[in-house]
Amino acid sequence: MEYKLTFKRYDEALRQNKLLGLKCRDCGAVTIPPKMVCRQCASSEIEVVELGGRGKIQTFTVVNVPPEGRESEVPYIIAMVELDEGPWTMGNLDNVDPATATMALIGKRVTMKHKVFPGDKYSAGDSARPLFSLEA
Amino acid sequence: MRKVAVVGVGETKFSGRQEKTAVELFSEAAMDAITESKLKPRDIQSLFVGNVLGDFSEGQGMVQAFAAESIGAFNVPANKYEGACASASMAVRDAFMWVASGFYDIVLAGGVERAATMGTALATRTFAMFSDARYEYPCGITFPSVFALLAHLYSARYGIPLEKLKTQMATTSVQGYKYGQLNEKAHLRKQVTIDDVLNSFMVCTPLQLHDCCPFSDGAAAVVLASEEVARRLTGKPVYITGIGQASSGPLANQSRYLPRITAREISVKQAYDMAGIKPKDVDIAEIHDCFSIANLIAAESLGFFEFGKAGEAWMKGEADIGGKVAINLSGGLKSKGHPIGATGAGQVYEIVKQMRGEVEPGRQAPEPKIGLTDTLGGDGGTLCNLILQRGW
Ligand SMILES: [Zn+2]
C-alpha cells in the first residue's frame, strides 16, 4: 500500500506556505503530521487535504541550550499549536521576543508561514517546519 | 507461565565522562550480578542489553555481543534493546518473558551508556533523535524542551500558577538530591535547596538546570532465574510479578491526553493487573524523573496521586519515606544519574537492594515488600513498567 502523503510532498507544500494533512473518510478526523492511516480510527481511507494553518497556542518553550550545530539559533521559541481542524502541530514562533515569552502566549491565535532547517550531517537533508506568528 | 526472580544485581557508579569503555562498564556490572548470584558466566544462557548511543558516544555498535564474550558467556545469543531512555527496562521485560516461558532458566539483562562522554552539544543533538526527525527536529526540539512544553501545558491545564508549580517541581529535585547525596553510586552528590533550583541557569523555560537530570555514564545488570533455580541460589529472591510496555507516536499526536502520557497509563495498568495489585499497595517506586515536571506527570499516571495534585503531595512528604509511596530513594535520574541505556536496570538494582535492606542508612525504606519501576523513552514513545515483590 502506498504512503499517501510522504514527507517529501508535505515539505514541498510547506515551502509554499501550504500545510497538508490527511482527512479520514470513515471518521472525519484530520491527521497531521502525516501517517499511513488515520490517527484516530486507523482507517486507510484517507485523502490529502490542505489545512488553513491557523490555530491557537497550547504550549510553548524558549530554548536556550541548543543541539550540536544549532548554536546560532538560540534563544528560539517552540510552540505546540492546536489547528482549527483539530490536531496539534509543532512549529516555531516568529514575532515574539523570547525574553518576553510568558504563559500569556497560551491561547493566543496564530497564522502560519514556514522556515527551512538547512539540515545537518545526521538529518538526510533539509526540511521546512511551520513558522507561526501571533495574529495581528 | 513460570515465576521469575531477580537473583543478583550489579551496578557501576553513575558518573560524568568515564575512561572505561561501554563493554568494560557493562562487564563490571554484569560480573557483580553474576558473582552475587553464586553463578559463573557459563551459566548465563542469553544476554539482553540496553544501549542507545554507543555508535555516537564511542563508535561502538553491537555492544551486547562484545560484552557477552568479555564476561565469558561465550557464544550465547546476545540481543540489544533500543527504546531511548527506556531501553534497559525493555531488556529486563523481554528477559523476564523468555524465562517465564520456560525457554531459558538463567539470563542476564541490563544496559550501558556513555551519555556524559558525548558532551552537552552532541548529547543534546542525539537525544533529540528520539523525537520525530522530520516533523519535530526541524523546530529545534530537544529533550528538555519536550518536558518544558509539558510543564507550561501542565500549569495551564490544572490552573496552577507557574510560580507555584515551579516551587512544587523544585521540591521534587531537592528530594532527589537529598537521597542521591547518600547513594555512593550516584552521579551528582550534593545538597541543593529550593532557592538553588530557582536560581540555576535557565535551560528551556520553565526548566532550569536543577530541574534537569545529568547526562551520565554507567552500567547496571541483573540476573533473572526461574523460581526453581532461584530457590537453589538465594534465600532472598525478588520476584518480577508484573510487567507492562506501550508505545506512542510524536508528541503532537498525543494531544488528546497531554500532559498525561497515554502509553504510561496503558503500560502500568498491564503491570498492576498482572501482579494483581493497586497503586496504593506499592511501597517504593523508582520513577522516570528526567525532569522535575516529569516526576509529577509520572506519579499521577502511575496512580499514586490525583491529576494536578502530585506537586502538593511532594510538598507534604507523601512521596517520601513515611508518605503514601517512597519515590526515588536512589536519588532518581536527577541525582543518581541517567546513563540512558542502563537507567531501567539501575532502577531494578535499587528496588532489589531496598528489599534486601542493603542501601546506605538514611535512604532505606522500612521493609518494603512491593516496588515499581517506571521508565519513559523519547516523547512518551516507549513506556515500560515492572513490579517487583519480596520473595521471603
Ligand atoms: Zn478515521
Side-chain angles (χ1 to χ4, degrees):
Chain A
M1 192 185 292
E2 204 167 349
Y3 210 94
K4 283 231 172 63
L5 178 52
T6 59
F7 176 74
K8 184 172 188 294
R9 186 172 165 198
Y10 168 93
D11 184 62
E12 282 167 3
L14 188 54
R15 288 171 197 240
Q16 310 298 317
N17 295 328
K18 289 182 169 61
L19 188 63
L20 298 187
L22 296 158
K23 188 168 170 96
C24 179
R25 291 196 195 101
D26 287 334
C27 80
V30 173
T31 296
I32 183 178
K35 300 201 297 184
M36 190 73 200
V37 300
C38 170
R39 72 188 181 108
Q40 188 160 287
C41 74
S43 168
S44 51
E45 293 298 313
I46 47 178
E47 59 188 347
V48 178
V49 292
E50 186 181 334
L51 308 178
R54 289 171 182 272
K56 63 178 182 184
I57 295 174
Q58 284 285 353
T59 187
F60 73 98
T61 180
V62 178
V63 178
N64 293 317
V65 177
E68 180 194 86
R70 303 189 71 165
E71 291 78 3
S72 65
E73 297 178 44
V74 290
Y76 53 87
I77 305 177
I78 299 173
M80 297 271 284
V81 170
E82 182 179 30
L83 299 168
D84 289 346
E85 294 86 355
W88 290 21
T89 197
M90 192 181 283
N92 293 112
L93 191 59
D94 188 25
N95 61 345
V96 173
D97 175 4
T100 66
T102 67
M103 287 292 288
L105 284 175
I106 294 180
K108 288 262 165 64
R109 289 199 53 83
V110 291
T111 58
M112 189 208 77
K113 287 188 172 145
H114 77 278
K115 190 174 178 184
V116 174
F117 165 54
D120 62 15
K121 62 187 167 188
Y122 314 117
S123 67
D126 54 359
S127 42
R129 80 277 201 173
L131 183 65
F132 293 103
S133 304
L134 296 185
E135 242 174 32
Chain B
M1 208 166 54
R2 305 190 298 175
K3 282 181 79 176
V4 178
V6 182
V7 293
V9 296
E11 186 176 77
T12 67
K13 181 175 165 50
F14 289 2
S15 71
R17 186 189 172 91
Q18 276 274 354
E19 296 291 317
K20 288 173 182 160
T21 70
V23 168
E24 291 163 356
L25 288 168
F26 186 79
S27 298
E28 290 186 358
M31 287 308 270
D32 285 349
I34 292 167
T35 305
E36 199 186 57
S37 307
K38 303 187 203 76
L39 292 166
K40 299 288 181 205
R42 64 171 178 271
D43 298 320
I44 302 296
Q45 294 171 289
S46 185
L47 257 66
F48 301 76
V49 181
N51 181 237
V52 184
L53 294 164
D55 37 12
F56 287 94
S57 59
E58 55 177 21
Q60 181 65 66
M62 208 171 66
V63 65
Q64 71 280 9
F66 298 100
E69 161 146 314
S70 166
I71 64 171
F74 299 122
N75 307 116
V76 301
N79 296 339
K80 182 167 97 167
Y81 290 81
E82 194 277 283
C85 312
S87 299
S89 297
M90 296 162 71
V92 175
R93 177 175 174 273
D94 268 30
F96 165 88
M97 292 190 292
W98 283 107
V99 177
S101 74
F103 197 87
Y104 295 127
D105 290 318
I106 302 170
V107 301
L108 182 80
V112 61
E113 206 66 53
R114 294 183 68 192
T117 295
M118 286 190 283
T120 299
L122 181 59
T124 301
R125 175 66 184 95
T126 54
F127 278 42
M129 292 177 182
F130 309 108
S131 291
D132 192 300
R134 303 284 85 176
Y135 297 103
E136 295 181 327
Y137 187 68
C139 307
I141 197 76
T142 60
F143 188 34
S145 62
V146 168
F147 279 87
L149 290 167
L150 292 178
H152 281 146
L153 185 63
Y154 186 103
S155 168
R157 270 289 182 282
Y158 299 119
I160 303 172
L162 190 60
E163 206 172 321
K164 184 176 172 189
L165 178 60
K166 285 194 47 122
T167 305
Q168 295 176 351
M169 286 157 50
T171 302
T172 75
S173 292
V174 169
Q175 182 177 316
Y177 280 114
K178 177 178 81 174
Y179 289 121
Q181 203 181 0
L182 303 170
N183 183 350
E184 63 178 37
K185 305 271 189 184
H187 179 173
L188 300 176
R189 302 183 66 184
K190 56 184 167 189
Q191 194 176 345
V192 168
T193 65
I194 302 259
D195 280 345
D196 293 335
V197 180
L198 297 176
N199 290 321
S200 61
F201 172 74
M202 185 63 79
V203 176
C204 293
T205 64
L207 301 181
Q208 296 175 254
L209 184 65
H210 290 302
D211 288 300
C212 306
C213 70
F215 299 114
S216 308
D217 288 4
V222 302
V223 175
L224 303 189
S226 64
E227 181 178 24
E228 190 191 336
V229 173
R231 284 214 174 119
R232 245 183 12 239
L233 295 173
T234 175
K236 292 184 173 180
V238 173
Y239 288 99
I240 297 178
T241 57
I243 59 170
Q245 189 179 320
S247 61
S248 284
L251 193 66
N253 284 347
Q254 302 172 45
S255 61
R256 270 178 297 180
Y257 296 89
L258 296 176
R260 291 162 61 169
I261 303 289
T262 334
R264 173 177 277 124
E265 294 178 24
I266 293 167
S267 165
V268 81
K269 184 176 187 313
Q270 292 168 11
Y272 284 139
D273 288 351
M274 183 172 165
I277 65 159
K278 301 278 184 213
K280 66 173 170 49
D281 300 321
V282 176
D283 301 311
I284 52 173
E286 287 290 309
I287 75 174
H288 201 84
D289 63 326
C290 45
F291 300 95
S292 56
I293 186 67
N295 262 319
L296 309 188
I297 290 170
E300 291 168 6
S301 281
L302 296 173
F304 297 144
F305 308 116
E306 281 176 53
F307 291 100
K309 304 279 189 201
E312 286 174 24
W314 247 274
M315 293 187 76
K316 286 186 212 150
E318 288 179 6
D320 205 340
I321 293 173
K324 276 190 176 169
V325 52
I327 292 181
N328 290 353
L329 301 180
S330 67
L333 280 59
K334 170 66 269 186
S335 170
K336 183 186 179 187
H338 190 24
I340 56 176
T343 295
Q347 292 178 330
V348 173
Y349 173 94
E350 170 69 13
I351 299 277
V352 169
K353 288 284 187 184
Q354 283 279 350
M355 286 185 179
R356 293 186 194 151
E358 291 176 358
V359 308
E360 296 85 353
R363 62 179 203 88
Q364 174 69 54
E367 298 195 15
K369 293 186 176 56
I370 299 182
L372 175 125
T373 71
D374 167 75
T375 37
L376 168 148
D379 310 1
T382 304
L383 259 294
C384 193
N385 295 101
L386 304 168
I387 291 170
L388 297 116
Q389 294 188 235
R390 201 165 75 161
W392 68 97

